[in-house]
Amino acid sequence: MPESALGNWLKGLREDRDWSLRETAQRADVDHAYVYRLETGAKESPSGEVIDKLIKALTPSARDAEILRLLAGQPNIDPALAGFARINPTVSFQEFHMLTTVVNRGARPDYATSLARIRKFMLE
C-alpha cells in the first residue's frame, strides 16, 4: 500500500488514544474500512466533513488538528516530513506549513536544517 502523510498522521493520532480502527470509526461515525484506507494511503483527500468528524472524535491539539486538515488538502506532502513533525511537537503549524514549501533540489531532505532556517527567518 502507498504511504501517505495524512495516513501516518491519522494513525498516530489514533494510536495516541490507544484506539482500534473500529473504535475510532465508531466514535467518528465514519466507516472503519474508509479510516483504514485513509491510514494506508489507499484513499487521499477526504471531505471536510470526514476530517471534522475524525477531529471531533480524536480531540487532537489545535496544532495537530490544523496539520491534519492541511494534510487532507495536500496529498503530495512527504510522509517523512509529517513523521518529523509528529516526533517533534515544538514544530508549530506555521513552521510545518512553511516546511511543506521547501524545495530540496535533488538533495535528501534535511528537515531539521530547514526548520532552523525557517525559525531564523521568522526572528528577523
Side-chain angles (χ1 to χ4, degrees), residues 2-3 24 26 34 36 43 51 69 76 91-92 98 110 114 121 124:
E3 185 179 16
T24 302
Q26 184 177 25
Y34 188 68
Y36 172 78
K43 285 285 187 184
I51 290 298
R69 286 183 197 287
N76 58 343
V91 177
S92 70
M98 292 175 83
D110 180 354
S114 296
F121 172 76
E124 294 175 354

Side-chain angles (χ1 to χ4, degrees), residues 95 98-99 102 114-123:
E95 291 167 338
M98 292 175 83
L99 279 168
V102 172
S114 296
L115 177 62
R117 289 178 181 152
I118 287 169
R119 287 179 171 165
K120 182 179 177 187
F121 172 76
M122 291 173 73
L123 289 174

Side-chain angles (χ1 to χ4, degrees), residues 7 10-11 14 20-22 24-26 28-41 43 50 54 58:
L10 180 59
K11 184 176 182 179
R14 178 177 62 78
S20 69
L21 279 165
R22 286 189 185 273
T24 302
Q26 184 177 25
D29 192 29
V30 176
D31 181 64
H32 73 278
Y34 188 68
V35 175
Y36 172 78
R37 288 192 299 273
L38 287 172
E39 284 190 6
T40 60
K43 285 285 187 184
V50 169
L54 289 166
L58 292 164

Side-chain angles (χ1 to χ4, degrees), residues 78 80-81 98-115 117:
D78 183 2
L81 173 56
M98 292 175 83
L99 279 168
T100 66
T101 65
V102 172
V103 176
N104 296 288
R105 292 183 179 94
R108 189 167 160 238
D110 180 354
Y111 298 120
T113 300
S114 296
L115 177 62
R117 289 178 181 152

